[in-house]
Amino acid sequence: MGELSKNSIFFSDQHLCHADILPPSEVRARIEVAILNFLKNLNSSNPEVTDLPLISRKMGNSRVRRGLLTDDSKIFLSHSFSTKSLMNENTANSFIRVWKVMEMCYQILIEEKKVTQRELFYKLLCDSPQYFTSQLQVNRTIQDLVALVRCSRYSLGIMASSRGAVAGRLLLQEPNQEIVDCSTCGSSGYAISGDLNLLENLVMKSDARYIIVVEKHAIFQRLAEDRVFNQIPCILITAKGYPDIGTRLLLHRMSREFPELPILGLVDWNPAGLAILCTFKFGSIAMGLEAYRYACNVKWLGLLKDDIEQLVPEESLIPLKPRDHQIAKSLSSSEILQDKYKEELSFMVQSGQRAEIEALYFHGFDFLAKYIGKKIVQADYI
Amino acid sequence: MEGKHSIPNRLNLLKKIGELTRSLVEDLCNGRSPTLKIDQFSSYCSEDSGKCCCSYNLPKGKEILTLQRESQSRRFDALLRVLLIVQQLLQENKHGSKRDIYYMHPSVFKEQSVVDRAVNDICILLQCSRHNLNVVSVGNGLVMGWVRFAEAGRNFDCISSPNTAHQIPVHVEDVEDIISVAEYILIVEKESDHYAFDDRAVFQRLANDQFCRKNRCIVITGRGYPDVPTRRFLHLLIEKLRLPVYCLVDCDPYGIDILATFRFGSMQMAYDAKSLRLPGIQWLGAFPSDCEKYQLPQHCLLPLTTEDKQKAEGILHRCYVEREAPSWRNELQLMLDRGVKFEIEALSVHSLTFLSENYLPSKIQMGAFI
């Protein structure tokens, strides 16, 4: 039974929790309902301060939903709750923080504005200095609020920052604007907006045959500049590091609009690179309630162990950092990795080394494009 | 002939590389140990009386590399190897980054810094900028507002949608046909060391508030410390449009260092300062004195750390501050005396639109910049 509910696409899905994307009026309504219920309990014949039930964002509560007929896998958070109680000394302060952030977001929603996380930090700092001391704390509390009212961060009025870019054989059009041709955007590509509504409404057309997700900005720039999409008909997309919501949303939309296009990931050969690939592929536990929404079936094109052995000279390998080992540990202990990925990861850790994609330049300037082309043609990805 | 070689285009540079190589070979044939004379540049020193000889376009001295000393011969070797790669890049008209170059001979170079230094040395020897060697760096800048330009056949029309951000092109030398109806250029920068990935937060705020709809200007941001393409792009815009340039940074030593980098150039690119520095740029905010003026809540004022204080002292004593921006000293000193710093977001605590509807327009109108 446990196995079934873990890996099923049937009714047990209803236990899998997610955050809704709602218009401001509905988010306000949810907050108002929460407050009214809280007050009702305070006012009842058995008055009590209701505990806050938050979906637990820990590994133990994460589940993998594997597609039966497709290769899509996603991380969901199940319905295990962690409670924050005012009566409990350990959670009293974080209990109060959740209400404070709720109040602040409510006000912002009434003004029909949006706020950045940093601005929210300063507002909270000035409003309630005894409860808020760091940005990290604010970020966690925001996630708590998401877990409580089950609305996405963006619906709560918090601006999404975006660093991503896209280039290649893709035509984009904002409603009532001119068509943008991403193959003539130069080596910096088209900047992906932080406005999630805008991204949802972009009209997309493409004659590409592949979508290539690139981890690093430098590699994206190199490929865009060399116009690799003219030799290999593809769309290039990057988040320039850890994937942000905007980039993931756009990638997800592309996977829905162009379902025949395989999505291939090009990352450095190290645990951090694999972690980035996995975030695009499955979502993340920290943003568990929103994560699943934008998961896509990304395949690992490179760098892979065989590539390292055949193409990367010994001197180009760099030792793994302590952080890499930490990431490797948490990746291998999660259930989501398939066997081949686990193999690659353990090989990385055993060798104690990592390699950057730039190491392929050992074979000359043109080599990267040839490498990608050859691997695609041979379907050499996992 | 001097005139012909002064334009650092591809053919001239290839010629120069040829001549340099020939002179080294001649030395060897005549039994002389080859040497390379490399000018040394420094954008500033800590002699704050203003009487030093630091200059943005004149070298401070010369370094002579010979093969007689082992450490220098390694540098010599690296330089020649990188030169060979650069020659190939220019001949085939391809581009590469410093990292790419490192990986071509990792066993010889051993460290990235060796390649970085060799590239700098070559720029000095050939009297050109890094991009002339076809060595590129990543560009992170964004531009929005009332400007239109073309790059390699593509039109960037920021005017049709003034609140949409466009990436600043990496190959600034291909930018042309710049047309603008802006009244000024505004640079907003933050260095992000927080857990919010918000190094573009202020730019986002301005876009969200539709700042460019009500204010005829061009807004530019990099990602903290400005990268070379962003600085070159700004330099070009200023050259063509001759508009006033205002800079908005956090009121902390890193913000002011970013401002100083824009205005005076950085140490690493000191040899190329004359094509990167923006002498007309003015500090719009945020000033330590803005605290009282705009009644910032006490809680937004964070204490200066030890590193902050050291950095602020360092900037205060840079020779160019005394020489060219003495009005900055007062504000810097005020920051050190009070021992506090604050970020641009602190200005939005009472009203999210305060920055775009109040602070920026009124400061610009009142001329409250230094």
Side-chain angles (χ1 to χ4, degrees):
Chain A
M1 219 25 224
E3 232 13 80
L4 190 63
S5 64
K6 267 196 210 175
N7 294 315
S8 148
I9 56 169
F10 299 114
F11 280 107
S12 44
D13 270 11
Q14 286 174 356
H15 294 304
L16 299 172
C17 303
H18 55 267
D20 299 313
I21 298 178
L22 299 168
S25 54
E26 283 193 46
V27 179
R28 289 203 317 265
R30 282 201 187 180
I31 293 177
E32 285 161 3
V33 164
I35 296 170
L36 285 171
N37 280 332
F38 187 82
L39 289 174
K40 197 168 91 169
N41 276 334
L42 266 186
N43 233 5
S44 69
S45 48
N46 268 337
E48 60 162 13
V49 178
T50 330
D51 293 340
L52 295 178
L54 310 175
I55 309 286
S56 163
R57 299 188 308 276
K58 297 230 160 56
M59 188 83 79
N61 191 33
S62 72
R63 302 278 180 267
V64 182
R65 183 232 220 204
R66 295 200 196 283
L68 256 190
L69 299 171
T70 68
D71 278 334
D72 276 356
S73 298
K74 304 177 209 283
I75 288 183
F76 276 93
L77 291 182
S78 183
H79 62 313
S80 166
F81 291 89
S82 76
T83 359
K84 290 208 192 289
S85 171
L86 186 60
M87 305 305 152
N88 180 340
E89 227 182 286
N90 290 338
T91 59
N93 278 337
S94 56
F95 178 93
I96 294 175
R97 281 198 284 269
V98 176
W99 287 102
K100 291 278 183 192
V101 173
M102 198 191 299
E103 178 188 12
M104 199 62 81
C105 288
Y106 188 80
Q107 277 170 359
I108 292 165
L109 287 168
I110 289 202
E111 291 175 39
E112 294 188 355
K113 295 212 155 74
K114 285 218 173 305
V115 70
T116 67
Q117 288 196 156
R118 194 68 181 155
E119 285 170 339
L120 191 60
F121 166 69
Y122 276 109
K123 285 176 88 75
L124 292 165
L125 188 63
C126 294
D127 183 77
S128 329
Q130 65 273 54
Y131 293 110
F132 291 98
T133 52
S134 77
Q135 181 69 56
L136 195 57
Q137 212 175 43
V138 171
N139 294 358
R140 285 201 188 121
T141 314
I142 292 171
Q143 287 300 331
D144 284 345
L145 184 60
V146 167
L148 182 69
V149 295
R150 314 251 195 115
C151 306
S152 71
R153 234 177 5 174
Y154 193 72
S155 310
L156 287 169
I158 299 172
M159 275 194 242
S161 67
S162 175
R163 292 188 307 284
V166 74
R169 310 196 67 83
L170 179 68
L171 298 174
L172 292 170
Q173 188 183 20
E174 290 172 45
N176 302 323
Q177 299 282 345
E178 274 183 33
I179 298 182
V180 174
D181 183 356
C182 297
S183 62
T184 59
C185 278
S187 45
S188 16
Y190 167 86
I192 298 177
S193 165
D195 182 347
L196 301 187
N197 276 329
L198 193 153
L199 293 177
E200 287 281 9
N201 294 319
L202 276 178
V203 177
M204 301 192 283
K205 288 201 188 72
S206 172
D207 64 354
R209 304 251 294 280
Y210 316 96
I211 300 174
I212 304 181
V213 180
V214 185
E215 174 195 355
K216 295 197 307 203
H217 190 183
I219 302 295
F220 174 87
Q221 199 174 288
R222 162 81 36 250
L223 293 173
E225 185 169 288
D226 291 345
R227 300 253 187 316
V228 83
F229 37 79
N230 287 338
Q231 305 155 318
I232 307 166
C234 65
I235 301 172
L236 297 168
I237 185 169
T238 183
K240 300 181 192 171
Y242 194 80
D244 57 280
I245 281 269
T247 311
R248 293 184 58 207
L249 195 162
L250 192 64
L251 179 64
H252 182 81
R253 280 209 61 211
M254 286 200 278
S255 73
R256 287 281 178 271
E257 287 286 322
F258 316 118
E260 351 60 69
L261 265 52
I263 305 176
L264 309 167
L266 189 62
V267 298
D268 283 347
W269 193 69
N270 66 11
L274 178 57
I276 286 177
L277 185 83
C278 287
T279 305
F280 276 113
K281 197 175 162 83
F282 304 117
S284 67
I285 295 174
M287 289 205 39
L289 286 149
E290 301 189 59
Y292 80 97
R293 199 185 299 280
Y294 307 120
C296 307
N297 186 11
V298 183
K299 305 214 201 308
W300 193 355
L301 181 71
L303 289 168
L304 295 173
K305 177 189 104 193
D306 290 338
D307 303 329
I308 304 291
E309 281 170 358
Q310 291 161 15
L311 303 170
V312 177
E314 193 63 43
E315 311 83 63
S316 301
L317 297 173
I318 313 169
L320 287 177
K321 294 192 274 224
R323 177 107 185 90
D324 289 320
H325 285 287
Q326 273 176 347
I327 297 176
K329 238 196 199 136
S330 83
L331 271 177
S332 50
S333 61
S334 74
E335 304 172 344
I336 51 175
L337 287 189
Q338 62 232 54
D339 292 333
K340 287 208 173 132
Y341 284 33
K342 281 200 173 123
E343 259 179 56
E344 288 280 333
L345 187 62
S346 67
F347 196 74
M348 273 181 213
V349 172
Q350 269 170 29
S351 72
Q353 292 178 311
R354 58 191 173 100
E356 296 181 300
I357 296 193
E358 286 94 331
L360 295 176
Y361 278 90
F362 186 77
H363 303 279
F365 304 122
D366 299 331
F367 191 70
L368 185 58
K370 289 194 197 126
Y371 163 82
I372 295 173
K374 189 166 169 212
K375 288 207 97 180
I376 289 179
V377 159
Q378 294 175 344
D380 185 11
Y381 38 83
I382 54 178
Chain B
M1 281 210 337
E2 194 54 67
K4 228 169 55 160
H5 283 201
S6 59
I7 313 161
N9 63 31
R10 220 164 43 98
L11 293 171
N12 283 340
L13 283 174
L14 284 168
K15 266 207 182 89
K16 276 193 184 177
I17 293 175
E19 284 164 8
L20 180 66
T21 320
R22 196 175 305 126
S23 76
L24 289 175
V25 170
E26 273 176 14
D27 280 344
L28 285 169
C29 292
N30 293 330
R32 286 193 298 266
S33 182
T35 61
L36 287 172
K37 298 187 186 56
I38 304 180
D39 289 332
Q40 286 170 306
F41 292 86
S42 171
S43 33
Y44 63 82
C45 63
S46 309
E47 167 72 51
D48 59 350
S49 63
K51 296 198 189 73
C52 66
C53 56
C54 289
S55 149
Y56 67 88
N57 60 355
L58 294 172
K60 276 192 105 157
K62 253 196 217 302
E63 231 183 328
I64 302 187
L65 285 187
T66 71
L67 292 173
Q68 320 279 27
R69 281 199 229 139
E70 189 176 341
S71 60
Q72 284 192 356
S73 66
R74 271 196 232 268
R75 204 171 138 189
F76 211 114
D77 181 31
L79 197 156
L80 290 178
R81 280 190 196 265
V82 173
L83 193 61
L84 180 61
I85 295 172
V86 165
Q87 183 182 52
Q88 235 181 314
L89 284 171
L90 291 171
Q91 278 168 343
E92 297 176 36
N93 203 12
K94 288 204 162 15
H95 295 84
S97 72
K98 291 189 293 183
R99 193 75 179 142
D100 300 340
I101 295 177
Y102 165 76
Y103 276 112
M104 296 189 133
H105 298 292
S107 48
V108 171
F109 296 130
K110 292 200 169 53
E111 262 178 18
Q112 183 62 46
S113 53
V114 170
V115 173
D116 295 351
R117 192 174 202 185
V119 170
N120 280 5
D121 288 342
I122 293 172
C123 288
I124 296 174
L125 279 174
L126 302 182
Q127 292 177 315
C128 66
S129 302
R130 195 193 292 163
H131 68 271
N132 297 126
L133 303 178
N134 278 10
V135 176
V136 293
S137 48
V138 151
N140 264 314
L142 290 177
V143 58
M144 72 175 168
W146 298 87
V147 68
R148 189 189 299 160
F149 56 92
E151 185 235 350
R154 201 223 150 185
N155 283 328
F156 286 71
D157 191 350
C158 306
I159 298 183
S160 58
S161 50
N163 291 297
T164 313
H166 291 87
Q167 303 259 194
I168 289 178
V170 173
H171 295 291
V172 180
E173 59 275 11
D174 295 337
V175 172
E176 46 192 17
D177 296 342
I178 302 177
I179 301 174
S180 171
V181 293
E183 292 165 12
Y184 58 87
I185 298 174
L186 176 66
I187 304 174
V188 294
E189 285 297 352
K190 301 180 61 71
E191 183 69 356
S192 166
D193 56 353
H194 316 296
Y195 291 91
F197 298 124
D198 267 357
D199 44 18
R200 292 247 179 96
V202 182
F203 187 84
Q204 254 189 305
R205 162 57 55 212
L206 294 180
N208 201 258
D209 290 350
Q210 317 244 318
F211 183 73
C212 292
R213 195 170 295 280
K214 300 173 199 148
N215 301 276
R216 286 272 164 115
C217 65
I218 302 170
V219 182
I220 289 192
T221 188
R223 258 180 94 182
Y225 279 93
D227 54 66
V228 171
T230 304
R231 291 165 67 190
R232 288 178 58 210
F233 183 73
L234 266 167
H235 193 92
L236 182 66
L237 278 187
I238 295 168
E239 197 191 332
K240 299 282 178 201
L241 301 175
R242 303 244 174 254
L243 292 171
V245 189
Y246 308 120
C247 188
L248 179 67
V249 287
D250 288 334
C251 183
D252 63 26
Y254 286 91
I256 299 173
D257 199 16
I258 290 174
L259 171 69
T261 306
F262 270 115
R263 173 133 174 197
F264 300 110
S266 62
M267 264 304 202
Q268 288 134 332
M269 302 290 287
Y271 63 87
D272 205 10
K274 65 177 169 303
S275 62
L276 292 174
R277 66 197 288 266
L278 310 170
I281 198 178
Q282 294 177 295
W283 187 8
L284 186 66
F287 303 142
S289 54
D290 282 342
C291 273
E292 298 87 37
K293 231 170 148 194
Y294 297 95
Q295 286 145 358
L296 285 184
Q298 272 295 106
H299 290 107
C300 294
L301 305 176
L302 308 172
L304 288 177
T305 64
T306 333
E307 292 91 36
D308 288 335
K309 288 187 191 148
Q310 282 171 350
K311 196 162 187 74
E313 297 268 1
I315 300 173
L316 200 56
H317 290 119
R318 289 184 196 166
C319 57
Y320 54 49
V321 173
E322 173 59 42
R323 238 196 349 256
E324 296 183 54
S327 45
W328 293 5
R329 300 196 82 168
N330 296 337
E331 292 286 350
L332 262 170
Q333 195 63 58
L334 192 58
M335 186 192 296
L336 276 167
D337 292 342
R338 289 186 182 169
V340 288
K341 58 183 178 180
F342 64 90
E343 291 177 56
I344 301 172
E345 284 90 339
L347 294 166
S348 305
V349 165
H350 295 306
S351 156
L352 288 173
T353 49
F354 181 73
L355 188 68
S356 23
E357 289 179 2
N358 230 308
Y359 184 83
L360 289 173
S362 69
K363 271 212 149 196
I364 290 172
Q365 209 174 19
M366 291 192 305
F369 38 80
I370 53 177

